[in-house]
Amino acid sequence: MSAHEWQQFFVSQFSHIDAWQWAILVLGISEVLLAKINNILLYPAGIAATVLSIYSLFVAQLYAECALHLYYIVMSVYGWRHWAKKKNEPAVTVRFTNQKEWLISLSIIFGGWVFLYFALVTFTPSTVPVWDAWVSATAWAGTWLLARRKVENWLLLNLSNAFAIPLLIYKNLPLFAVLTFFLFVVACFGYIDWRKLAFQSIPAKKS
């Protein structure tokens, strides 16, 4: 497709957006912007966007993405509690991922990829099981790191986003693709901001 044809395609898609899809778009953008500035309100916004997204993804037969969004809800509740400042305890600070957490993240990615692939092939009519499973598995790991306020969550989430954008276009979900591209860009800045916060939390060495 030419640039003009792509422009016409997206204009036609936007002209048919209903209130349901606008809500997903606004809440999804709000979630990532709140995450970028390290604001705990990202979780209620994310939960609302996730609940609304599941139906659209199910209709598009992106079953692993549906499972991923159910996982998002669980991890959002966990992250919300983990981030919250407890009585007589300091708030959880932004830090870098340690070796143990990297091993857990890699286990989530590759274990989740294999599990989701066989689940999709066995129990669903998915036409993109490898692709769908990879997008979801990498996002699973990124979401776990996000809940623990680890800088590298942005890297894994953007790895997922990079594969999700063409998948969503292929599945005729251009609005989700546009939202994911926006999230990709914001996540790049989020990574930079969180690195600064993590360095600030490292105690200065005594001379």
Side-chain angles (χ1 to χ4, degrees):
M1 295 177 68
S2 66
H4 179 66
E5 288 173 329
W6 275 112
Q7 182 181 7
Q8 288 185 319
F9 175 69
F10 281 111
V11 168
S12 66
Q13 289 294 317
F14 273 98
S15 66
H16 293 92
I17 301 178
D18 56 22
W20 186 281
Q21 294 180 72
W22 273 118
I24 294 172
L25 195 64
V26 171
L27 288 168
I29 291 173
S30 299
E31 177 192 9
V32 76
L33 290 176
L34 288 166
K36 178 180 177 295
I37 62 174
N38 200 27
N39 190 307
I40 197 172
L41 292 178
L42 76 97
Y43 284 109
I47 290 171
T50 300
V51 170
L52 294 177
S53 298
I54 290 174
Y55 173 76
S56 296
L57 293 168
F58 185 83
V59 171
Q61 295 186 330
L62 291 176
Y63 303 108
E65 285 281 297
C66 291
L68 170 64
H69 279 64
L70 291 173
Y71 172 80
Y72 279 163
I73 294 173
V74 174
M75 290 305 295
S76 292
V77 173
Y78 165 77
W80 199 344
R81 292 185 61 188
H82 188 67
W83 278 38
K85 182 184 293 185
K86 299 179 182 179
K87 187 177 181 179
N88 300 323
E89 293 183 15
V92 179
T93 57
V94 173
R95 298 187 184 278
F96 292 104
T97 304
N98 60 38
Q99 184 178 20
K100 180 181 178 181
E101 290 164 335
W102 269 122
L103 289 174
I104 293 174
S105 297
L106 292 173
S107 298
I108 293 172
I109 291 172
F110 292 104
W113 189 17
V114 172
F115 170 78
L116 286 171
Y117 169 74
F118 282 106
L120 290 173
V121 170
T122 305
F123 300 110
T124 77
S126 174
T127 58
V128 286
V130 174
W131 200 351
D132 194 10
W134 174 255
V135 168
S136 297
T138 49
W140 278 7
T143 304
W144 181 73
L145 289 180
L146 173 63
R148 298 185 65 81
R149 278 190 171 180
K150 299 298 178 176
V151 174
E152 293 79 5
N153 86 85
W154 298 108
L155 300 179
L156 294 186
L157 289 176
N158 260 0
L159 177 62
S160 176
N161 289 336
F163 283 88
I165 293 168
L167 174 62
L168 293 166
I169 293 174
Y170 175 75
K171 280 294 186 175
N172 295 316
L173 292 170
L175 295 179
F176 278 87
V178 170
L179 173 60
T180 303
F181 177 76
F182 175 80
L183 302 183
F184 181 95
V185 173
V186 174
C188 292
F189 291 100
Y191 174 73
I192 295 171
D193 291 344
W194 277 40
R195 272 180 59 88
K196 295 177 182 177
L197 290 173
F199 278 121
Q200 291 171 5
S201 68
I202 298 175
K205 294 182 179 180
K206 294 182 180 180
S207 56

